[in-house]
Structure formats: C-alpha cells, structure tokens
Amino acid sequence: AVVSTQSTGDIAEEYEVVIGNRAMVGRLGVAITEEVELKMQEYEDCGHTVVIVVINSDLVSLLTISDPIKGDAASAVELLTSWGIKVYLLTGDNIRTAEAIAKEANIPRHRIFAKVLPKQKVSKIKWLQENHKTKVAMVGDGVNDSPALVQADVGIAIGTGTDVAMEAADIVLIKDSLFDVPVAIDLSRVTVRRIRLNFCWALLYNTMGIPIAAGILKPFGFTFKPYIAAAAMICSSICVVCSSLLLKLYTKPADVQSAEEKLREKLRSLKRSAERSLEKLKRKKRDRRGSNEGRTYMLQSLSSGEEEMDV
C-alpha cells in the first residue's frame, strides 16, 4: 500500500493506493464485480498478467502486463521434446496466463506450474529431481529464477538476462536464442563422449606401453630404450590433445539447423506479407489522394463555369 497526501488550499486529502493481484486485493476486502472478473479472465486468456489498482478501497483500474515469449520458443521446445526431454513451465503468473503461454510454446497442460514464488520454484525443482530420478536443467533469465538455477543440476541463463541469474547459472548462453539450449545439451554430450574416448585411449596405450617399457618382452629380444619410451609417452599426450582440439570442428546438429532454417523462412514469409500489406495501404492512400484531387479539380472547374455564366 502507498499512502499519498495532496494539499488543496487549506484542505489536505489522503489517498490510500493499493496495486496488486487478486490475492492481495482479496485480503483487503475489496470486492471484484462479475463484469471486472470476466474482463480480467479475457486478458489472462490472451497471456496477459492483470494488475488491479485500488484507491480508498475502490477498484478504479486494471493494468495488463504482457511478456511475449521468444519467437523461437515453440520450435526449441518441440525440438527438445523430440529428443525425449520433458519440458516444464514454471511461472509466477496465474493458471490462465500460464496456459496461454504454454499453448504458444507447445508445452502440455499437465507440465505447467503456475503461481509459483521464487522459493516454490526451488521446491518444484527438488520435486522433479526426487520423483523423476533424473537430471534437471533450469533455464531462466530473471532475479527470481536465481534460487532455482542454483538448485537445478544444470542452471542455464540467457545472456540478455540479469547479472544475478548469470552468476547463479552453470551455463550462460551468449546469444538471445533458445535454440542454443539444445545446442548446449548436444555439445555437452559430445564433450563427455570425447573425454571418455581420450580416457580409454590413454588407458589402453599406457596399459600396453608401460609393461613393454619395463622389459616384459626382453626375453623375446624386444626392449624400449629410455628415449624411445619418453617419445612414446609424449606421443600419447599429443594424441589426447589433438583429439580434444577436434571439438573446435563441432557443428550444430542437423535437426537444430533445420529448425532454425524453418524459423528464418517463416520470419521471411511474415516480413514479405507485412511488406505487401504496407504496399497495398500505400497504394490505397495514393488512389484516395488522387481521387480527392480529381474531385477538387472538378469542383473548381464547375465553379469557374458558373462564374463565366454569371458574367
């Protein structure tokens, strides 16, 4: 609640202004009429968050806040789902707003956690970890997401988010694109596979090389001289390093590239459609202006003719 005092001459008026959601207004005993409730539901079904303004216990206004989802959210969610990854929505918005957002992002209704406070987000992450017995990654960009990013097995922050979220996350996506989430997952898998490959190679190499260097084949007349053994050890390290450097040749998975290309084509199509619509509007405006000029010219001609007849 915010209390402000306005003085008009010798009279001082005091206003109690309250701005909040349904729950806050309900605790103050302010009644919400059926007409206002229907209007709020209409906005919420469109994915807007409704904020109520109350002055001196009277509901005077509704404010709607809209945070549109990223253009690539639906495609990224669809891609992750095709990989067998379950995507959940954690939001502080009410259930209607959450359902509208989830519908746009192709997230099933049963995977929505609505009206979740920052501390409750942590509880939801714990619940997913305990009940699904699997690793949980959390993607967020706000201050309210920071506790959940810490609790998750892998916290992923969007590069355009808050500094607090980026500090709490394990991975920071530089670009403002959700396609980087599946790319980060795929790159981590490729990296782990490369680590295992290097480990197996080094283990096999040393398992075979150390006994030979120790002279196990000496009875058969085969031994390693010290400088040859040292060179062989260096060769092993060089092979591991070169294998790791091959990660620099990493490319995005084909399905990610395909999804990005489809999205770009969709955006190009929308841009062309918008340009055509704008051109039609400009043409109509020119035609209307030409028609008005023609009518003006005809009226002037008629006026001139009438003056000549009078003369």
Side-chain angles (χ1 to χ4, degrees):
V2 179
V3 179
S4 62
T5 304
Q6 179 180 3
S7 298
T8 306
D10 298 331
I11 302 175
E13 298 183 10
E14 185 175 87
Y15 298 93
E16 184 179 10
V17 181
V18 178
I19 302 175
N21 56 14
R22 279 190 184 85
M24 184 176 181
V25 171
R27 288 195 296 269
L28 297 175
V30 178
I32 299 177
T33 64
E34 183 178 354
E35 181 182 359
V36 174
E37 180 65 31
L38 291 174
K39 196 66 178 177
M40 292 174 64
Q41 292 180 11
E42 180 183 341
Y43 284 123
E44 290 169 350
D45 289 338
C46 295
H48 295 192
T49 300
V50 181
V51 180
I52 304 171
V53 180
V54 177
I55 300 179
N56 290 343
S57 299
D58 292 327
L59 196 156
V60 297
S61 179
L62 297 177
L63 304 176
T64 64
I65 303 171
S66 176
D67 186 14
I69 66 172
K70 297 182 183 296
D72 54 358
S75 301
V77 170
E78 184 178 355
L79 185 60
L80 290 171
T81 304
S82 67
W83 287 4
I85 298 174
K86 296 179 181 179
V87 181
Y88 289 79
L89 174 65
L90 274 72
T91 176
D93 293 324
N94 59 73
I95 186 63
R96 287 193 184 87
T97 303
E99 286 178 351
I101 295 172
K103 186 177 180 180
E104 290 185 58
N106 294 330
I107 298 176
R109 190 177 184 279
H110 64 277
R111 293 181 186 164
I112 299 175
F113 295 126
K115 300 178 69 174
V116 181
L117 298 176
K119 291 183 179 179
Q120 293 174 331
K121 287 184 179 181
V122 175
S123 301
K124 296 298 183 182
I125 295 293
K126 288 182 179 178
W127 181 85
L128 289 172
Q129 290 170 330
E130 293 172 358
N131 285 269
H132 291 271
K133 304 296 182 183
T134 186
K135 301 295 182 182
V136 177
M138 167 74 183
V139 182
D141 60 357
V143 175
N144 294 339
D145 298 325
S146 301
L149 289 171
V150 174
Q151 175 60 39
D153 296 289
V154 180
I156 304 175
I158 306 296
T160 55
T162 61
D163 293 337
V164 176
M166 288 189 283
E167 287 291 334
D170 302 298
I171 300 173
V172 177
L173 305 179
I174 304 301
K175 297 179 182 178
D176 187 23
S177 173
L178 289 178
F179 278 122
D180 285 344
V181 174
V183 171
I185 294 173
D186 183 69
L187 178 58
S188 67
R189 290 173 175 172
V190 171
T191 303
V192 171
R193 284 199 298 267
R194 187 53 54 91
I195 291 171
R196 289 172 179 168
L197 176 63
N198 290 344
F199 179 77
C200 292
W201 160 254
L203 181 63
L204 179 63
Y205 190 93
N206 286 282
T207 301
M208 295 175 61
I210 291 175
I212 295 174
I216 193 172
L217 298 180
K218 190 175 182 179
F220 302 97
F222 183 82
T223 59
F224 270 173
K225 293 183 179 181
Y227 67 88
I228 296 179
M233 195 65 195
I234 294 172
C235 181
S236 171
S237 301
I238 291 174
C239 290
V240 171
V241 171
C242 290
S243 175
S244 300
L245 289 176
L246 287 175
L247 288 173
K248 295 176 72 69
L249 302 177
Y250 171 83
T251 57
K252 296 179 182 179
D255 47 0
V256 175
Q257 295 182 23
S258 175
E260 287 181 329
E261 184 57 35
K262 287 180 181 178
L263 181 61
R264 281 193 292 267
E265 183 58 36
K266 181 180 178 181
L267 293 176
R268 282 194 292 265
S269 177
L270 290 174
K271 184 180 178 180
R272 288 193 294 267
S273 177
E275 289 175 349
R276 286 194 295 267
S277 300
L278 183 61
E279 185 61 31
K280 288 180 181 179
L281 289 174
K282 288 181 178 179
R283 194 181 302 117
K284 288 181 180 179
K285 190 175 180 180
R286 286 195 298 267
D287 294 344
R288 196 180 299 116
R289 188 184 298 121
S291 178
N292 290 336
E293 290 175 355
R295 285 197 295 269
T296 303
Y297 177 76
M298 291 177 63
L299 290 173
Q300 289 176 349
S301 299
L302 290 172
S303 298
S304 300
E306 289 176 356
E307 289 176 358
E308 291 176 359
M309 291 176 64
D310 291 340
V311 172

